[in-house]
Amino acid sequence: MTNAPPSVAALRAQFADAVTRHLVSCGDTVVYVERDRAHDVLAWLKDAPGQQFDYLTDVTAVEYRDPERPVEVVWQLRSLGRKADLRLKVELDKGGPLEVRSVYDLWRGADWLEREVYDMFGITFVGHPDLRRILMWETYAEGFPLRKDFPLRGHFSRAEQTRQALAANPEAHYSMEELSIAEAYDELPADMRERLARGERGFLK
Amino acid sequence: MSLRTVEMALATPGLDAQGRPTRVPLGVRDAPVAFDEDFGAEHMLVNIGPQHPATHGVLRLVIELEGETVKRCIPHIGYLHSGFEKLGEYRHYNQIIPLTDRTDYLSPMANNVCFALAAEKLMAIEVPERCRVLRVIACEMSRIISHLVWLGTTGIDLGAFTPFLWSFQERERIYNLQEKWTGARLTTSLTRVGGMMADVPDDFEAGLRDFTRTFPKTLAEVDTMFTRNAIWIGRTQGVGVLTAEQAINHSLSGPMLRASGVDYDVRKDRPYLDYETYEFDVPVGEHGDIYDRYRVRLEEMWQSNRILEQALDRLATLKGAPINVDDPRVILPPKSRAMSDMEAMIFHFKQVMDGVKPPVGEAYLGVENPKGELGYYLVSDGTAKPVRWRIRPPSFINLSSLPVMCEGALLSDVIAINASVDIVMGEVDR
């Protein structure tokens, strides 16, 4: 690779097999890495001398309109000291499991960001201690809103959405964890206890 | 835990010989011989919000208490989720600008500017100088009004009502200017890809000059009222502390990050809109507590005022200069030409029907918004609608550090800590 930006050259030297390709778009450097090596690469970029990408700006995902293209998980990194930016991407094939290792152990800031990506795209971050929906409610059953196969108005009809909203038990707004603090779990109706225990959330029936 | 009624002497206090109210003995008259063994051992669950004035929007906090000490704080968000990112995928680039008004609705003009900059980065467009100066004015006006709301509401949360009136009075003056410029007080939709929706009206510059001249007086009054106030100091110093390492590790940005002693400001470190040519300082705290966040935000308002003065000077030298790029594929032709000139009419039609089409590519652009680093990440597949419009929401990420800050604090401190994050739920939930 000629004219590769410095971080890319260093990455290729360190993780020759993990870096699949890189490109520069609108002045931003984008590096694609293997899914299973992403965590190692990120951990290395965070601490390695000369890299020090100590600040996790953003974690997000991109799904393209072309259904053949894989879903991408995007980490936007910054080195506060060196004033440099780097975007790291992992491609997840839609045929396989949408899974990638969490970087919660490297950056606490990934906590909510990964939860949001899970909530919106259904990508599982393995190793995240508390991966549950964040913007949608825990019992949301229509799927993952930012996926391209999700219609703008949702999967359910407006009537069904209203029916579900009205039928919701207010107690369901508390998570299992919270109910256990209040020792109120045992006082819940049996069907609801069973539903909460199943961890029912966010899948199309 | 069994309920116990405690009788208290609640008589009206009498006056002693010096005219001071005598102390009224409060407390247990007949103390029970023995307390329950498990008294206080049980943890209590307190739910605050989503409809609560001190949560600054529809934020819900579930707090586990041991006595008055917070053991755990679990925030619940999403009550204001509007799906802006999804909506953006169904809209032309210029049609997304009204959506950006509604995310951080306390600084709509700054969001408009950020989106225009991100789209221009995607299309490699360089806007003219007058446009850049106008955008700096928009950003700094937004910073002032957003910090004024923060100042006023946080003051109320901690029991100081008067500065709220002062700050909202000043905010009103900027809102009036904003209304003159954009026609709207809240939903400004000020920018367009490649330029501005409108130039400033004739009397705008004089109005803003007047504001920059008198605004420091209010700031000085607030400074007098708060900075050395014993109650304010007692409620804020050493509360909600985050160290520099923690702040970086939690991806905080803006005043939250700088109050912890990290000197990072997007305007200085990755300048946009010629910020490197303006003279201003970036205040940095050292303790990372609520008090330092207050000091940082107060100082930022002084600095914004300085930037506004410089920008007004520049604007005066650029009278009559263009505010839009000279590219008919991006900028609508003037209505008069669209109605009289065939070519202009075609461009007008193409733009309205097809929209602006950036090339295939992706761009992330972060700006220093009042709340922190607002970033827009746009992915284009060459069509007029983005494949992905990601908002990097500063309030959302700053709020995610709330459980860490609240752990071990008192319940009353939770309100102060939550206020110090400076969230706006429109942006947290998007």
Side-chain angles (χ1 to χ4, degrees):
Chain A
M1 283 286 157
T2 50
N3 297 329
S7 284
V8 179
L11 265 177
R12 283 195 185 275
Q14 187 74 21
F15 298 94
D17 51 333
V19 179
T20 48
R21 63 197 161 101
H22 83 272
L23 56 96
V24 176
S25 180
C26 305
D28 301 346
T29 309
V30 190
V31 184
Y32 287 80
V33 295
E34 291 284 343
R35 193 239 324 249
D36 299 333
R37 303 295 301 282
H39 187 274
D40 301 340
V41 172
L42 285 160
W44 183 77
L45 282 172
K46 185 182 177 220
D47 293 321
Q51 303 299 326
Q52 287 133 347
F53 286 99
D54 50 354
Y55 188 80
L56 179 70
T57 312
D58 202 4
V59 180
T60 186
V62 179
E63 188 185 3
Y64 290 88
R65 295 205 174 97
D66 176 3
E68 302 294 312
R69 281 188 76 168
V71 179
E72 291 172 352
V73 181
V74 184
W75 291 272
Q76 179 78 32
L77 304 178
R78 174 166 312 137
S79 165
L80 294 182
R82 297 195 302 118
K83 300 189 190 346
D85 291 84
L86 186 68
R87 194 176 306 142
L88 208 75
K89 284 190 176 186
V90 157
E91 288 181 320
L92 301 177
D93 206 26
K94 281 187 200 168
L98 294 180
E99 267 182 17
V100 69
R101 233 184 109 185
S102 165
V103 294
Y104 179 86
D105 53 335
L106 302 175
W107 291 283
R108 284 289 179 274
D111 183 358
W112 282 22
L113 291 169
E114 287 180 352
R115 276 177 66 187
E116 191 189 335
V117 174
Y118 164 73
D119 189 3
M120 292 291 144
F121 287 90
I123 293 166
T124 309
F125 289 86
V126 180
H128 189 288
D130 185 25
L131 195 70
R132 58 192 161 91
R133 286 190 178 267
I134 184 161
L135 293 178
M136 310 310 281
W137 52 102
E138 281 199 58
T139 49
Y140 184 70
E142 291 189 52
F144 301 107
L146 278 180
R147 296 294 298 270
K148 293 292 183 214
D149 59 3
F150 187 94
L152 187 57
R153 278 167 182 268
H155 278 295
F156 298 163
S157 68
R158 189 50 59 92
E160 173 62 13
Q161 286 170 349
T162 312
R163 195 194 63 73
Q164 288 199 0
L166 293 175
N169 187 334
E171 288 281 337
H173 290 291
Y174 288 91
S175 68
M176 288 270 279
E177 188 190 13
E178 291 155 4
L179 291 166
S180 68
I181 303 168
E183 291 171 7
Y185 181 64
D186 296 329
E187 292 160 27
L188 293 180
D191 64 321
M192 193 176 150
R193 237 177 334 182
E194 190 214 352
R195 200 155 47 75
L196 283 169
R198 273 208 312 272
E200 203 174 89
R201 60 175 72 135
F203 290 103
L204 271 177
K205 279 179 219 90
Chain B
M1 196 188 344
S2 61
L3 285 175
R4 196 169 24 230
T5 50
V6 178
E7 262 185 65
M8 293 182 184
L10 289 172
T12 315
L15 298 179
D16 64 9
Q18 280 82 40
R20 288 184 304 242
T22 51
R23 280 169 183 268
V24 177
L26 286 178
V28 185
R29 275 264 176 80
D30 305 304
V33 186
F35 285 106
D36 292 348
E37 279 299 309
D38 63 343
F39 183 73
E42 207 172 274
H43 287 188
M44 195 204 268
L45 195 68
V46 173
N47 177 77
I48 304 180
Q51 307 292 344
H52 190 284
T55 55
H56 298 241
V58 277
L59 168 68
R60 182 169 148 245
L61 301 172
V62 176
I63 296 167
E64 183 188 358
L65 287 176
E66 187 186 72
E68 212 185 334
T69 311
V70 177
K71 299 306 279 181
R72 206 162 16 156
C73 169
I74 307 169
H76 288 256
I77 60 170
Y79 294 94
L80 207 59
H81 179 59
S82 327
F84 286 136
E85 290 176 11
K86 182 83 176 172
L87 282 169
E89 293 170 11
Y90 291 78
R91 275 165 171 68
H92 294 163
Y93 284 82
N94 274 326
Q95 290 173 332
I96 293 176
I97 288 168
L99 296 180
T100 65
D101 294 337
R102 288 151 175 84
T103 53
D104 179 356
Y105 45 78
L106 296 177
S107 58
M109 294 201 292
N111 304 344
N112 301 157
V113 170
C114 180
F115 184 80
L117 286 170
E120 283 154 14
K121 182 175 178 184
L122 195 60
M123 302 176 71
I125 293 174
E126 177 88 9
V127 291
E129 193 181 354
R130 187 174 168 87
C131 177
R132 294 200 294 272
V133 174
L134 287 175
R135 285 179 180 183
V136 167
I137 291 177
C139 284
E140 297 310 318
M141 279 167 71
S142 300
R143 193 176 322 281
I144 290 176
I145 50 174
S146 175
H147 283 354
L148 282 174
V149 172
W150 174 81
L151 186 73
T153 52
T154 305
I156 286 194
D157 283 349
L158 298 183
F161 185 72
T162 315
F164 170 79
L165 299 175
W166 296 341
S167 64
F168 270 60
Q169 220 165 15
E170 292 299 324
R171 180 168 174 263
E172 195 61 24
R173 295 170 67 197
I174 291 226
Y175 257 13
N176 287 338
L177 290 168
Q178 200 168 300
E179 191 179 3
K180 262 186 199 161
W181 187 1
T182 67
R185 292 163 65 82
L186 195 74
T187 52
T188 52
S189 303
L190 175 67
T191 59
R192 295 290 179 268
V193 178
M196 305 294 274
M197 179 265 292
D199 205 334
V200 287
D202 289 339
D203 52 350
F204 178 88
E205 284 172 59
L208 192 58
R209 274 267 183 232
D210 186 50
F211 175 82
T212 57
R213 207 170 36 244
T214 50
F215 178 53
K217 194 166 159 275
T218 309
L219 281 181
E221 279 173 349
V222 171
D223 187 56
T224 318
M225 194 80 160
F226 279 147
T227 310
R228 283 158 296 276
N229 180 325
I231 302 172
W232 182 259
I233 289 174
R235 286 297 307 271
T236 56
Q237 278 189 355
V239 179
V241 178
L242 282 179
T243 63
E245 292 77 45
Q246 278 178 314
I248 294 173
N249 201 252
H250 279 91
S251 300
L252 302 188
S253 55
M256 287 283 287
L257 182 65
R258 287 192 287 277
S260 292
V262 183
D263 183 7
Y264 175 70
D265 187 312
V266 186
R267 293 175 295 175
K268 288 276 189 199
D269 290 288
R270 206 177 30 189
Y272 53 96
L273 294 173
D274 303 337
Y275 264 113
E276 69 275 22
T277 62
Y278 290 86
E279 232 176 79
F280 67 101
D281 300 316
V282 176
V284 176
E286 67 184 294
H287 306 102
D289 57 5
I290 304 177
Y291 185 74
D292 279 19
R293 284 170 207 147
Y294 151 74
R295 291 292 295 271
V296 166
R297 289 195 177 104
L298 192 70
E299 185 58 33
E300 276 188 9
M301 285 195 270
W302 287 98
Q303 300 299 334
S304 289
N305 208 50
R306 262 176 87 188
I307 298 173
L308 279 178
E309 282 171 351
Q310 296 168 45
L312 279 171
D313 291 342
R314 289 186 196 188
L315 202 62
T317 66
L318 292 166
K319 263 207 163 36
I323 53 164
N324 294 332
V325 288
D326 186 19
D327 187 344
R329 288 168 307 167
V330 182
I331 289 293
L332 281 176
K335 193 75 180 169
S336 55
R337 278 196 59 220
M339 301 304 275
S340 59
D341 178 2
M342 188 64 191
E343 194 194 13
M345 190 181 174
I346 292 170
F347 278 128
H348 190 281
F349 177 81
K350 290 287 280 179
Q351 264 236 18
V352 172
M353 300 308 289
D354 292 353
V356 180
K357 281 188 188 142
V360 179
E362 54 178 65
Y364 171 87
L365 189 116
V367 301
E368 188 67 32
N369 240 33
K371 309 277 185 294
E373 180 184 340
L374 173 72
Y376 286 143
Y377 172 53
L378 288 166
V379 182
S380 163
D381 59 354
T383 60
K385 294 167 184 172
V387 170
R388 177 92 172 96
W389 166 43
R390 157 74 179 162
I391 308 167
R392 188 239 183 230
S395 326
F396 174 83
I397 298 173
N398 288 352
L399 184 65
S400 71
S401 68
L402 189 70
V404 182
M405 287 190 285
C406 287
E407 214 179 284
L410 298 178
L411 180 60
S412 55
D413 288 339
V414 171
I415 301 300
I417 294 168
N418 180 42
S420 79
V421 182
D422 191 14
I423 50 164
V424 50
M425 290 315 283
E427 184 179 77
V428 173
D429 295 342
R430 285 155 293 139

